[in-house]
Amino acid sequence: MTKVTVVGAGNVGATCADVLAYREIAEEIVLVDIKEGVAEGKALDIWQKAPINAYDSRTVGSTNDYTKTANSDVVVITSGLPRKPGMTRDDLIETNAGIVKSVTENVIKHSPDAIIIIVSNPLDVMTFQAHITSKLPRTKVIGMAGILDTARYRAFIAEELNISPKEIQAILMGGHGDTMVPLPRYTTVAGIPVTELIEKDKLDAIIERTKFGGGELVKLMGTSAWYAPGSAAAQMVEAIVKNQKRVFPVCIKLEGEYGIDDCYLGVPVILGKNGIEKVIELDLNEEEKALLETSRSHVKEVMSVLENLATK
């Protein structure tokens, strides 16, 4: 029986669980949250629409009881607090790292062979925290950012060209945030290079909008996105559970790839039943390498905050 746990029953976690159930990606989906009754209520709500949407996946909720998550194949961690007024970046990292560390310890205790997908922010450094806490191979602790970022990028291109987003394939690299590296050279529309269909100034504007895509939604709604991030995490789960061997950009600890060591960055990989089956190394040009180095430098700076906290 395939079993998937989603830790954090907020908007992102609940959306992920809903997509997993609706698409019958796992036979059992366990939703866990620290707030009394929230996970149970949302899991029950998702289960009660199974007769309407005609799916068999069973959703179960739990308030901080990780015994119900035992023997999960994949665990998605969305837990963490949003940055509040007056909170510094270092405060946010310290708070969320503590949450992710505690959750990861509980997850590993009951599902030592699970593949862990991190959605918590700051994404790259929380993947770092989960990896060192779990002591699992780097291929089994991965961050979800690239699928969301490429989805936004592809959606904006589809809007500009007035075509189906299904026709667009794209890749991007780097950290999750304004130093991400969309790659127009590797972006195609039904096999046609996007640079032949969209003028450079318009494509540059789309790239900039993609980089600040999360901020645009916060400005509009007063809170961060959840439909697209939750769906992106579910897509990663599906690739693993069904051993699809799909090519996605995901956050992983690099160990020499792209000439980078000991840094958690988004790169294209093959995703299958073992987690990351292979890291794909693209032949980047000098401009792309420079952008990736800027992103690496930014992520390492954020990682150093966590490393300094650990030595206190």
Side-chain angles (χ1 to χ4, degrees):
M1 185 178 79
T2 52
K3 183 175 182 178
V4 175
T5 288
V6 180
V7 184
N11 289 332
V12 175
T15 298
C16 179
D18 186 37
V19 173
L20 291 171
Y22 180 71
R23 296 184 62 177
E24 297 186 316
I25 292 169
E27 291 162 88
E28 183 180 358
I29 299 138
V30 181
L31 195 56
V32 181
D33 200 271
I34 196 169
K35 191 173 179 182
E36 187 72 38
V38 171
E40 289 90 340
K42 292 189 178 182
L44 182 59
D45 194 15
I46 294 169
W47 173 240
Q48 287 174 353
K49 73 181 180 70
I52 300 168
N53 292 128
Y55 56 80
D56 296 317
S57 295
R58 185 66 191 268
T59 47
V60 177
S62 167
T63 301
N64 242 18
D65 179 6
Y66 283 84
T67 61
K68 292 184 179 179
T69 73
N71 302 314
S72 292
D73 298 289
V74 183
V75 177
V76 180
I77 300 177
T78 71
S79 310
L81 300 177
R83 189 162 169 175
K84 298 176 181 176
M87 180 182 276
T88 66
R89 180 193 65 175
D90 291 11
D91 290 338
L92 179 67
I93 291 171
E94 184 173 9
T95 300
N96 283 353
I99 293 170
V100 169
K101 181 176 186 292
S102 174
V103 168
T104 304
E105 287 170 345
N106 281 307
V107 163
I108 290 300
K109 180 180 178 182
H110 298 284
S111 302
D113 298 319
I115 292 167
I116 299 175
I117 297 172
I118 301 298
V119 185
S120 307
N121 279 317
L123 188 283
D124 309 291
V125 73
M126 291 306 110
T127 305
F128 173 30
Q129 178 66 75
H131 185 207
I132 59 176
T133 300
S134 69
K135 298 181 174 61
L136 289 171
R138 65 172 182 148
T139 53
K140 297 186 73 174
V141 185
I142 53 186
M144 188 293 295
I147 293 176
L148 170 62
D149 295 331
T150 53
R152 288 171 173 160
Y153 179 44
R154 292 160 64 197
F156 299 152
I157 291 171
E159 196 174 0
E160 172 65 27
L161 295 173
N162 194 28
I163 61 170
S164 167
K166 297 175 186 175
E167 299 297 337
I168 300 162
Q169 290 295 320
I171 206 77
L172 53 72
M173 297 175 61
H176 182 48
D178 56 11
T179 64
M180 71 177 75
V181 187
L183 298 170
R185 200 160 60 91
Y186 292 99
T187 305
T188 60
V189 180
I192 304 166
V194 72
T195 50
E196 293 186 17
L197 300 174
I198 300 179
E199 296 171 7
K200 186 179 185 304
D201 60 335
K202 290 184 178 178
L203 191 56
D204 287 344
I206 287 171
I207 288 170
E208 285 305 300
R209 188 181 179 191
T210 301
K211 289 180 178 180
F212 298 95
E216 180 180 357
L217 289 163
V218 170
K219 195 174 292 184
L220 288 167
M221 303 189 296
T223 186
S224 54
W226 61 87
Y227 293 126
S231 298
Q235 189 173 54
M236 289 178 69
V237 174
E238 182 176 33
I240 294 165
V241 168
K242 296 184 178 180
N243 194 29
Q244 291 176 329
K245 299 194 187 315
R246 296 198 62 181
V247 176
F248 288 135
V250 307
C251 178
I252 180 178
K253 180 186 180 185
L254 295 181
E255 295 180 346
E257 296 89 356
Y258 297 96
I260 297 172
D261 262 313
D262 199 27
C263 187
Y264 293 76
L265 280 178
V267 294
V269 306
I270 298 172
L271 206 57
K273 66 179 180 181
N274 299 308
I276 292 176
E277 307 279 346
K278 181 182 180 182
V279 175
I280 297 172
E281 290 196 67
L282 303 176
D283 185 15
L284 302 180
N285 60 33
E286 292 306 313
E287 181 185 1
E288 292 160 349
K289 287 177 183 176
L291 290 170
L292 185 62
E293 172 55 28
T294 298
S295 192
R296 183 207 65 81
S297 177
H298 174 77
V299 171
K300 283 294 285 184
E301 181 186 330
V302 181
M303 283 175 59
S304 69
V305 175
L306 186 61
E307 290 169 334
N308 291 336
L309 288 170
T311 60
K312 284 185 178 179

